Structures are given as structure tokens and as C-alpha cells.
Amino acid sequence: MTSTPETPPPPPTGAPVGGPPPAETPPAAAPPAQPAAPVDPAAALAEQVATAAAPADPQTQNDRLRDGVNRCPKCGSTDIQLRPATGMLVCLFCRHEWSEATVEEAFGFGEGIRDLQGTIIASGASDIDAAAADILTLKCGGCGAEVVVNTLTELTARCHWCRHVLSINEQIPNGAVPDAVLPFHLTHAQAVERISAFAAKRRIFAHKRFKTEFVPQNVVGVYMPYMVVDANATSDVVGRGEILTRTYTRGTGDDKKTYYDADVYWTARRVEFAVDDLTVESSSDRANLDVNASTNNIINSILPFDTKSAVSWNASYLNGFTSEKRDQNVEAISPRVEDQLKSIARSQVEASVARYDRGVRWEQERLNLHGTRWVSMYLPVWLYSYYHTDGGKGMVHYIAVNARTGETMGSVPLAKGKLFLAAALLGTILESAVIAFLVAIA
């Protein structure tokens, strides 16, 4: 419903309005009144109910830290950092430890997924303003000095006058501040150990230059931007299922072929399902799966993260680590989420089509997305990178460690000559074994 501002009524005829009275003009004929458009009471009521029932987008702003100064709740110091072994924040002055509340406790995320309707976007996951500045100026709450922070590379800075640590806790519209953060759990030493072990298993075929230049101590702790999505959906799939009835062969020698007879059935399934904490990249660089340029797609292979342990945003969790800013909105990420939901739906109906022993080929899919909830989150990764050039072409190789579970995956540049030699040697051995077997049975 819209309203128009009230205007005062016109003065009565002949009343002074300021200045000489205007000359009289003959009255104009009043236009005929237009009949009011008919109103459908049922439609109006439905619109009012829908408007009243529409859930508000959650506001996850940590108002306690809005002034940019994160203080120890015990002594007031601003020298705070994460202790990975415990997942707690620790004051470097009085050694007091504490933690922010989990986002599920604070905002009820994870509840009511089967009742979701429409699109609910938490405040930290709202659309990015392309005009929003990346370089911000903070006013120190300790001495009043102004401190510049480049949000592309850091979200905390130390005042150069009073040494207070200032933090970006306000959800600025450039995508740098999410709704939640999942703290690091593995230490730097533990990450170095896992990366060294991963590379050692591939050392035989690794490129010589990589083996001499490999320095696992250069691993960097990075908070990667993700969207964590809850979904309430229904999916319909239609396809052809085959049941094997007979197997037989025809021909002889090299012309022998195997044939299958099967009964073919049209089959359809509908599944209603809810998805809790589907995790999707919200950085366009990480979502780029061009394997000719880099191997950053290995980050997906270290999923899942225990997102249920994510806590409300506090920039102090980022002290000592780097972070990557989100640059994609919900609209850009939605197609990937829908593809994953369709894949989940197909897996949900697998048990019900087990009788089709020759398999089912799904030819039509329809996803009805009743409701979604989007939460922006920083997830912790230990990342080692190595730039390798070969034949004038360059590629960045990554080894990534899930900083919560320790799951490790990556790639190393290979010595192609060793691979070809090993393949040729294996082929020779297999050929010799086959000949020896045939001679033995002859």
C-alpha cells in the first residue's frame, strides 16, 4: 500500500492569498467521475497474508563490536587473536579466553528448513554494491586518530599512535564482512606436516625443479568466502529404466560381440527433501574450474567443513591470517546451487529404482524450490601454492588443507619423461607376462 502526502485545501473563493486577486474566469466543466476498479476481496486478503507472513531477512551484524574496537571482556585490552588448538579468542595481555556464540544459537540457522518459503538472505550475504570502497578510514576509539584499512587484504589494523587494534566489524556493502566465521583448528606446524606428507607420496614423479624449490613452511592460512545454503525443495524426474532379460553372444574370434535384451519402462519419481548447509564458493576466482590456468578446484575436494561450529562475526578471528573477499551475489550463485540440488534429488531416488538392473537414464528433471536461506561465511584453509612453467606455459599448483578436519588434496608438477618411461616399462612387463602365460598353457 502506498500513501500520498497530505496537501492543504484550496482557499475559499475571494479569500486573499497574497497579491492582487486574479481575474475571474468562467468555471470549467468538471470531468465525469471515473468508476473505481473492482477489487477482488480474496486476492487482496491473500496479498495481505503473504506480506505479513514473509520472513524478514536476518540481521547478523555484531552490534557489540560496531565501534571497531574489540576489547577483552575481562581487562579491556585490544590485543586479541585466535588460539587454533581451542578455537577460542585469547587476550594477549591477561590470557583470558572466550568465544563468540555460534550462528545457529544466535540466529536459529538450521531450524525450520522444511518450512522455508521464498528467498531469505542474511545481511552479510546481501548484494554487493559495486561502488562501495575497499579502503576505509576508521577512527580510533582510544585516541581519536584516523587509521586506514584496505579491506582487500586485511580487516584489522593497529593504531600508529596508541597501539589499539581496530577491526572492521560493520557489514560494509563490498562483500568483505560475512555473517559468520569458522575458526582455524589446525596449527601452522600441523599444516606443514600434512603438506610435506602429501608431496612426499608424489615425489617419485614430481618435477625436479619442484623438489628443489618446495618449501612447505610457506603455507598460508586463508579464510575463503562461501555461501552456506539451506533449501526446501521438491523434484520430479522422468526417465527410462531397463531390466535385463537375456545376454548372448554372436560371431567368432575378433568379431564376437555380446548382446543384451532388456525390458524398457518409463519411470517417474517425486521426492521432497530438505538440505542443511550446502556449501558453495562465493568467489569468482575459486569458482573458475579452468584446469589449464590453475588447480584451485582442489579446494572443493577438501570439503566438507563443520559449518555447525561457525560463530558470529568477529574480525579478531582473522588476526594472523589472510582472507579473500566475496565478489558474487546470490543471483550469480543460484544456478550452481540448483544443479547441486538436482544431483541430490537424483541420489534420493536411487534406492527406489534398484529393480532396474540395467540402470535408469533420467531424461527430464524439474526442481521446485520452495524456499532457501543464504548465509555468508568464511571457512579456514591452509594453502600452499607453486607456480610452474613448462614449455612456455605457466600453471599455479595448489596443495590445500582443511584447517578443521586436516583433509589434504592438491597437485604437484610432474616430470613427463619419467611418466612416459614408467608407462612404457609397465606395458613391456604386462606384455611379457601375457606371452609367458600363453606359452605355459599351450
Side-chain angles (χ1 to χ4, degrees), residues 226-230 277-280 307 373-377:
Y226 281 82
M227 286 287 194
V228 178
V229 187
D230 296 335
D277 285 7
L278 178 64
T279 307
V280 186
T307 51
R373 178 165 51 210
W374 299 73
V375 177
S376 178
M377 191 177 294

Side-chain angles (χ1 to χ4, degrees), residues 59-68 169 313:
Q59 298 299 312
T60 60
Q61 172 74 50
N62 195 334
D63 292 327
R64 181 174 57 83
L65 308 175
R66 186 181 291 272
D67 62 356
N169 290 307
W313 171 254

Side-chain angles (χ1 to χ4, degrees), residues 161-396:
W161 291 106
C162 69
R163 310 303 293 167
H164 266 155
V165 178
L166 307 180
S167 306
I168 305 292
N169 290 307
E170 185 177 356
Q171 289 176 341
I172 51 180
N174 69 352
V177 178
D179 299 294
V181 56
L182 183 63
F184 273 75
H185 179 64
L186 265 66
T187 64
H188 180 271
Q190 291 171 322
V192 169
E193 180 182 353
R194 282 168 169 77
I195 289 175
S196 298
F198 180 89
K201 293 179 180 179
R202 292 150 182 82
R203 189 174 180 82
I204 294 177
F205 296 107
H207 198 279
K208 180 180 179 180
R209 190 163 65 250
F210 172 78
K211 289 189 285 188
T212 58
E213 298 176 353
F214 177 60
V215 183
Q217 287 74 17
N218 291 341
V219 62
V220 177
V222 186
Y223 279 104
M224 295 291 187
Y226 281 82
M227 286 287 194
V228 178
V229 187
D230 296 335
N232 174 27
T234 301
S235 180
D236 294 284
V237 290
V238 178
R240 300 189 203 193
E242 296 185 3
I243 298 177
L244 183 66
T245 58
R246 186 167 69 114
T247 303
Y248 54 96
T249 59
R250 286 181 178 174
T252 58
D254 294 339
D255 294 330
K256 182 182 291 186
K257 294 182 180 180
T258 302
Y259 293 86
Y260 302 90
D261 286 348
D263 292 334
V264 180
Y265 301 87
W266 280 106
T267 181
R269 295 291 187 273
R270 165 172 286 192
V271 58
E272 298 179 356
F273 61 102
V275 176
D276 187 8
D277 285 7
L278 178 64
T279 307
V280 186
E281 307 93 337
S282 57
S283 165
S284 56
D285 287 341
R286 299 303 139 241
N288 180 11
L289 302 182
D290 182 6
V291 295
N292 294 318
S294 71
T295 62
N296 64 42
N297 56 322
I298 57 95
I299 295 177
N300 288 326
S301 63
I302 63 173
L303 296 173
F305 288 85
D306 55 328
T307 51
K308 297 295 183 185
S309 301
V311 298
S312 298
W313 171 254
N314 185 326
S316 294
Y317 284 102
L318 272 64
N319 287 341
F321 304 99
T322 63
S323 60
E324 186 170 313
K325 185 167 69 73
R326 173 176 69 93
D327 63 2
Q328 289 191 310
N329 296 325
V330 168
E331 183 179 1
I333 303 171
S334 292
R336 275 180 285 145
V337 170
E338 292 182 7
D339 286 342
Q340 293 194 34
L341 291 176
K342 289 179 180 178
S343 178
I344 292 172
R346 290 193 296 270
S347 67
Q348 292 284 309
V349 301
E350 280 184 2
S352 69
V353 294
R355 63 186 291 261
Y356 300 107
D357 51 9
R358 285 273 297 164
V360 177
R361 183 176 63 193
W362 300 115
E363 299 183 356
Q364 298 178 29
E365 291 180 287
R366 185 179 64 183
L367 179 69
N368 186 4
L369 205 51
H370 306 300
T372 55
R373 178 165 51 210
W374 299 73
V375 177
S376 178
M377 191 177 294
Y378 272 159
L379 302 181
V381 176
W382 286 107
L383 195 63
Y384 177 85
S385 62
Y386 178 81
Y387 184 75
H388 178 71
T389 57
D390 186 17
K393 295 182 179 180
M395 174 178 284
V396 183

